[in-house]
Amino acid sequence: MKHLKLAMLVSAALIASQPFAFAQQKGGVITVATVGEPPTLDPMVSTADLVGIVSQHIFETLYTFDANWKPTPLLASALPEISGDGKTYVIKLRQGVKFHDGSEMTAKDVVASLERWTKLASRGKQTATMIQKIEAVDSLTVKITLSAPYAPLVSLLAFNNSAAIILPASKQAEPLTEFIGTGPYKLKERKPDQYIQLERFAGYQSPSGDSNGYGGARHQYLDEIRFVPVPDANTRIEAAISGQYDYVDSIPVESYDRIKASAASEPVMLKPFGMALFVLNSGEGITKNKALRQAVQAALGDEDMMTAAFGSKDFYSADGALYPKGFAWNTQDGVEGHYNVGDPAKAGELLKQAGYKGEPLRILTSRQYEFHYKMAQVAAEYLKAAGFTVDLQVVDWATLTQRRSDPKLWDIYITHSPFLPEPSLIGMLSTSAPGHWDTPDRAKVVNPFNAESDPQKRVALWADVQKVIMDEVPFIKVGDFNAVSAKSKKVDGVAPAPWPYFWNASVKK
């Protein structure tokens, strides 16, 4: 199969291979400050980046992404053999891969795991509608039979949240009770709201080849990795400057110069990282009404929200296109008149069409990602000016991710996403994702896009998808932004990445 060739605007440093890997020394422990406590360690049932950051060290998928965002084998031994009609995928597995309990991975485990994924994961449910059968051909071969061609399949199998992780066939509990994966580190201890401690898995079987993004060799230089929740953004800043932690995730951009001047740490900037998002509840509540969602879109001044969140344009871009320039998916189709409108009169007219009677517009946000909260404050003023009654609910991130799973509890939640190599990975495109966007117009554009395998035709079809998104407003892209984290000067082998990983990290002796 010819794989989708993307013209990606990705820094050379982005999830780059580690040319110095063999000079690194074994041993040591690093402590990683995260924005909070992950709601689960089962990445099948969550799309939260925080879950993926931790769990990717414990669990692995059949495929992952290299430094150029191309799918590459991880637990599979090669990319799948795909039939000429695009309906059959034959996946060969690596031999000798061990789970943390000492058992050896076979096709039986993969089949059971993929069946669990299609039942529990939002992206798995999305894929299940296309799957006729998942079966073991022999102990190291799995066959997936589709009802129709489905271009995103390999990328979906490679993604690390709502992830198709491979578990032992005998340990598929719902919810997961034993966290047994094949990853380079295994769970040693978890004390909620204190730490998650991972230790080197002595039986780990690394993929071959040089480290290449998330793909290739995964080195286990560290003895342990400890993830510590630090919900307060200012505390994370001060901890980075003092060197209290070896890596500090998601730091407000205004602290960049202070960290750069620190003797203990250095800033890690991923440029561009991704997009800030307002997800609207299309399934229930007042935002089920399309005209009301359009009123929200018309009310907001997106550039003011980005300015409040990031300050300098060194850290953000006000751009309504769902992919920025330099990506094959970049298009301005549908953007004009739907982005950075900031027109309370237009929003008011749409509210009348929607029959709005002053019901509270419930917006979920968290201060653990400080830029979410700053955007929410500005958005609330724009929405009030348009005639909305705004109920801004500021909760911790774990609570937000729990509440958004119940469509009766919210109307808008604020989040963000890295730019993903395959648009079908965008969570909100799944009808089972929080937001539950499931309309005839969505099906008319998303289904042909997913069925098409020709790269050039898919680019044109993506423009149609973007136009419908702009019209139906299942979510609102506020703008593009760069992400800033901090790394101890004593740590090597950590490259800028959307979901930072530490299997190639080492501590300087």
Side-chain angles (χ1 to χ4, degrees):
M1 175 186 178
K2 292 183 179 179
H3 299 283
L4 184 61
K5 296 180 180 178
L6 305 178
M8 305 293 286
L9 182 65
V10 181
S11 161
L14 172 58
I15 57 172
S17 59
Q18 310 296 327
F20 43 78
F22 293 102
Q24 291 174 293
Q25 301 181 55
K26 259 193 173 183
V29 177
I30 66 167
T31 305
V32 179
T34 63
V35 300
E37 178 72 15
T40 178
L41 290 182
D42 181 356
M44 276 197 194
V45 300
S46 177
T47 59
D49 288 345
L50 179 55
V51 174
I53 288 170
V54 177
S55 65
Q56 66 186 341
H57 298 81
I58 305 170
F59 304 107
E60 294 179 317
T61 47
L62 292 170
Y63 303 99
T64 188
F65 294 104
D66 69 14
N68 293 314
W69 288 108
K70 291 181 180 179
T72 189
L74 184 51
L75 292 177
S77 63
L79 291 169
E81 300 168 10
I82 304 174
S83 62
D85 63 4
K87 295 182 182 180
T88 303
Y89 286 62
V90 175
I91 299 170
K92 301 285 188 180
L93 306 177
R94 287 169 46 215
Q95 190 169 12
V97 173
K98 296 288 182 67
F99 287 107
H100 297 158
D101 63 0
S103 62
E104 188 165 324
M105 181 191 73
T106 68
K108 180 182 177 182
D109 303 303
V110 174
V111 171
S113 299
L114 294 182
E115 288 176 346
R116 183 179 189 270
W117 179 64
T118 59
K119 183 165 56 172
L120 298 183
S122 61
R123 292 186 176 90
K125 292 175 185 176
Q126 167 189 338
T127 310
T129 61
M130 308 298 297
I131 293 176
Q132 288 186 335
K133 193 173 184 181
I134 305 170
E135 58 189 315
V137 177
D138 57 42
S139 64
L140 290 174
T141 309
V142 173
K143 182 166 73 171
I144 301 175
T145 305
L146 306 176
S147 58
Y150 191 60
L153 180 59
V154 177
S155 292
L156 285 161
L157 293 175
F159 204 38
N160 79 341
N161 68 45
S162 189
I165 57 169
I166 305 305
L167 306 164
S170 61
K171 297 177 178 176
Q172 304 271 336
E174 303 169 17
L176 205 60
T177 54
E178 295 181 80
F179 300 91
I180 305 297
T182 60
Y185 290 85
K186 62 181 182 178
L187 182 63
K188 182 177 182 180
E189 185 177 21
R190 181 183 186 183
K191 289 195 173 181
D193 298 315
Q194 294 185 50
Y195 60 81
I196 297 168
Q197 187 178 11
L198 310 183
E199 64 180 350
R200 184 192 293 118
F201 171 40
Y204 182 62
Q205 299 294 320
S206 171
S208 59
D210 294 337
S211 300
N212 185 357
Y214 293 94
R218 295 185 167 188
H219 300 288
Q220 301 169 282
Y221 299 117
L222 299 169
D223 294 327
E224 292 185 0
I225 307 168
R226 184 174 291 208
F227 295 91
V228 178
V230 184
D232 182 72
N234 289 326
T235 303
R236 291 199 301 279
I237 293 170
E238 298 305 323
I241 292 168
S242 68
Q244 180 180 354
Y245 300 106
D246 298 293
Y247 190 92
V248 181
D249 194 30
S250 190
I251 292 176
V253 295
E254 60 266 25
S255 65
Y256 184 89
D257 289 338
R258 290 185 65 201
I259 296 167
K260 192 173 181 180
S262 164
S265 301
E266 57 192 18
V268 179
M269 186 158 75
L270 184 54
K271 179 180 182 180
F273 171 81
M275 51 184 170
L277 296 163
F278 278 34
V279 180
L280 285 77
N281 188 345
S282 302
E284 292 195 35
I286 60 173
T287 47
K288 186 175 181 178
N289 187 307
K290 175 181 169 181
L292 193 138
R293 298 197 304 272
Q294 291 173 329
V296 173
Q297 181 188 62
L300 296 177
D302 300 289
E303 185 162 10
D304 283 350
M305 292 157 63
M306 294 299 287
T307 301
F310 298 101
S312 169
K313 287 194 174 182
D314 290 340
F315 301 108
Y316 80 89
S317 172
D319 180 9
L322 296 178
Y323 280 88
K325 291 178 181 178
F327 283 74
W329 307 110
N330 175 253
T331 174
Q332 288 295 316
D333 283 24
V335 173
E336 187 175 354
H338 293 99
Y339 178 73
N340 198 33
V341 181
D343 187 339
K346 180 179 179 180
E349 287 300 314
L350 287 163
L351 282 179
K352 288 180 184 177
Q353 291 179 31
Y356 180 64
K357 296 181 176 61
E359 301 94 330
L361 181 70
R362 299 163 298 172
I363 303 175
L364 291 177
T365 192
S366 172
R367 296 201 70 163
Q368 285 162 258
Y369 293 105
E370 187 70 9
F371 69 97
H372 290 190
Y373 176 68
K374 290 178 178 178
M375 289 191 301
Q377 289 180 302
V378 175
E381 297 308 311
Y382 271 105
L383 292 165
K384 289 174 187 175
F388 282 98
T389 302
V390 176
D391 177 11
L392 186 61
Q393 300 179 11
V394 184
V395 297
D396 63 84
W397 185 246
T399 300
L400 188 150
T401 59
Q402 289 167 354
R403 284 192 189 175
R404 72 183 182 186
S405 65
D406 184 345
K408 294 180 174 61
L409 298 181
W410 61 278
D411 302 305
I412 296 173
Y413 75 85
I414 300 174
T415 187
H416 63 270
S417 171
F419 293 117
L420 303 171
E422 161 59 53
S424 293
L425 295 175
I426 297 172
M428 292 75 71
L429 296 189
S430 170
T431 57
S432 60
H436 298 280
W437 180 41
D438 189 4
T439 66
D441 283 347
R442 175 210 168 274
K444 285 178 185 176
V445 292
V446 172
N447 292 350
F449 173 73
N450 286 338
E452 181 56 63
S453 59
D454 182 272
Q456 291 185 338
K457 291 179 181 177
R458 295 193 81 223
V459 168
L461 290 169
W462 174 246
D464 294 336
V465 176
Q466 181 170 289
K467 283 189 285 188
V468 172
I469 290 170
M470 294 296 171
D471 176 61
E472 295 211 329
V473 204
F475 60 91
I476 295 169
K477 178 189 174 185
V478 186
D480 304 336
F481 70 99
N482 307 330
V484 176
S485 299
K487 179 186 73 68
S488 168
K489 293 180 179 179
K490 296 179 181 178
V491 173
D492 275 336
V494 180
W499 306 278
Y501 55 90
F502 304 98
W503 49 74
N504 289 332
S506 67
V507 179
K508 296 177 184 177
K509 301 292 186 179

